[in-house]
Amino acid sequence: VASLAEIPTGRAVTVRGVDGSRAFRRRLLEMGLVPGVTVRIVTVAPLGDPLQVEVRGGQWSIRRAEAAQIAVGEAAR
Amino acid sequence: MTDCHDAADPGASPSGAPVIVLAGNPNVGKTTLFNALTGSSAKVSNYPGITVDRLSGAMPLPHGRVAQVYDVPGTYSLNARSAEEQIALDALVGLHGAATPDVVIVCLDATQVARSAYLLLQIQELGARCVVALTMIDEAKLATPDPRALAALLGCEVVAVTARTKHGLEDLRAAVDRTLRADRRPLWRWVPSPGLRAHLDVVTTALPASWRAAIRHAAPATATTAGPDPTADDALALWSLLCLERRTGSSDDDELDVPDDLRAAVTARTIDRAIDDEAVLARWAWLDREIPKLVRRAPDRSRTERIDRFLLHRAIGFIAFLGVMAGVFMALFWGADPMIGWIEAAFKMIAGELREQLGDGIFTDFVCDGLIAGVGGVLVFLPQILLLFLFLGFLEDCGYLARIAYLMDRIMRSMNLHGRAFVPMMSGFACAIPAILATRTMERRRDRILTMMVVPLMTCSARLPVYTLVIAALIPGSALTQALLMVGMYLFSVIMALAAAWIMSKTVKPLKAKRLPFLIELPPYRWPRGLDVVRAMWSKSAMFLREAGTVILVCSIALWALLYFPRELPAGSPDYAAMIERAPSAEAAQALDSERSALQLANSYGGRLGHAIEPAIAPLGFDWKIGVGIVGAFAAREVFVSTLGIVYSVGADADEGSEPLRDKLRTATKPDGSRAYTPLVGLSLMIFFALACQCMSTLAVVRRETGGLRWPLFLFGYMTALAWIVSFCVYQGGRLLGFS
């Protein structure tokens, strides 16, 4: 199990859990970043941060420090 | 806040018309649908107390009825932490003075059904009558779910709409009309666990009476809500349990406006993440089980990904970004110039004509120099505001504004600014007024206010005439050193603005950074709809004229009076009228007239104020004449030049290129015969102008955008103090080092 911040661009992984303060965590969960969902890092911003992440067909900008709070594992199948 | 001029009381809809609320995620075509449903009746106003645009309009229903439609700011969830986010709950439930909606239209994005349905589930749990408008079907194409199957699943009517072509709008109106007569039935897709049930039962009893469904709906609840199923009141109790926390007095506290009793009831319970997980995961579990049955393929995002490969590319992306920003900047800086010139010329002409008609006198001076010049001084902002909102609307709607925040986040974040603060700060090089209005693209109040506090430090175009005059008149050296000094002033302003942002985000409590995730959706690239962009541009500019413009006008008339009255010359002054009468030549008469104007200005209330502040500005190297200029510059910084023109009897027409004015400045002497304005004084003066908040329009707009006097006073206070201290250090330090 690694954090989303450590995953190379382009590889699909599965969310295992989200950590952090209550409000932060709840917001990520409500965006659909729930355990079991597939995420993929699409690009890294030119200055190295934030990351462009694809989840549930939508794309989001998320900071590296925040991605580090998302535990991920190998994609199902 | 006094800005709720329009539909000030949302609690009462005119003539008992049904109240419809339009809700949905951001970037799902909600505004386009709103415009299509309400036609030209749409109006922008503000939610009371906060600057979040509130769109309202009239929507025709079948059988000649008309409903009042309110737009809810785009949101992904009803759970909230900030005052802005709470608007969604207030509008959907009918709290804090909002009318309880009769029907809620929820926009579902056909390309992201599950995600946008999450909000729908929350709204249905509250017992609202819902109609789903399925948007973006032209983009989802074959991935679009069947509306009938979706309606069966979601338990409400579903209408596929394409607002651009007006396809489906009549069906949507009919569905709204039918739903008006439906029962209010809370719809929960999950059953709270016994532990959560116990929490809900206690918190429900703490809900204020006005929040209770039975009160809000003014009608007996339907039978189903009385049974063992969760009720609308349970949904509000759940919202409270998820969102309310104990106040700690830190800047990380939530900003939610709820009764203390309710907060106390929630914080008295031992709540942990488990209930967040239970509620959120239960909804997602239902969506993940049901939605994939209806959506069989993923929508095609390949076009957006291809464009992003260029626009977010390490090198090409940055070059493209700089190109776009340069284009916007040049349009603001030079493109607006001819229009500004026309406005100024037109108002000058009108004032001149009127002066001919009315003849000399105090009333004429008031109309021409106070009133008409004041109106012109407001309208002169319009070209830049229109242009900036045109660009912002276009960039927002096509999806690039979110990418700017993505590209710039690293830099802006290091100063604790939002990625989206980049465009307002860059616009500040043209003028702070449109730049402050542009902070509205950020959703959090803290981000907006911090940006507003530093934008006025950027070198706006009104400072240029002052710099040009001072550099040309007082700074020795070749054209190259003078040009370098000008560049230096720009760099200085950027460094000061970024440093100020960083320091304030560390020291000023309401501006401290909050630990909220920086999640920005990067929506698919779409062609903006011209009508939506133009409409938003116009309504926002009109709001500026109405609300900030009136304040600016009143202030500029007051300032005119300050520099105009009293009309009497001090005792012992020569009889100028008689002298002008006897003047040997027109030039001599002109010179005498200018001399009289200078004396009059020096004797005016504003002139006396300039004298009065001399002790305060003397340590910066300034005399009372500069003091009068600083008072006059409050109307707009460039007025400093023409005010000095009057003080030095060169005439009010003097501009920064005026050789006589430059000569006067160079040769002006102190009572002891030494040079009054040395290069060191010039530098001190430029630094003072770079840092001081010499602009009442800026303060008026900040007051309008923050809804009170607190932030404009803070802005004025800190910038003036900063300007004084830095100018003091430069002037006194320079003297210690042996410069004169």
Side-chain angles (χ1 to χ4, degrees), chain B residues 327-346:
Chain B
V328 172
F329 180 69
M330 287 196 292
L332 283 190
F333 209 83
W334 288 295
D337 232 30
M339 283 186 275
I340 292 173
W342 296 331
I343 292 173
E344 282 172 346

Side-chain angles (χ1 to χ4, degrees), chain B residues 275-356:
Chain B
I275 77 159
D276 298 356
D277 283 0
E278 181 180 343
V280 177
L281 297 186
R283 292 179 192 131
W284 276 113
W286 186 85
L287 291 167
D288 282 339
R289 191 172 66 239
E290 302 295 338
I291 300 293
K293 294 179 193 162
L294 303 181
V295 182
R296 295 184 186 275
R297 59 166 82 202
D300 180 18
R301 269 188 72 127
S302 61
R303 186 176 69 140
T304 292
E305 287 196 12
R306 275 200 307 276
I307 301 174
D308 268 346
R309 227 167 282 154
F310 281 99
L311 292 185
L312 299 184
H313 184 271
R314 242 162 234 278
I316 307 169
F318 245 101
I319 295 167
F321 167 75
L322 291 177
V324 171
M325 288 302 102
V328 172
F329 180 69
M330 287 196 292
L332 283 190
F333 209 83
W334 288 295
D337 232 30
M339 283 186 275
I340 292 173
W342 296 331
I343 292 173
E344 282 172 346
F347 277 85
K348 215 168 191 171
M349 203 185 74
I350 295 169
E353 281 295 312
L354 265 176
R355 192 172 285 283
E356 300 260 302

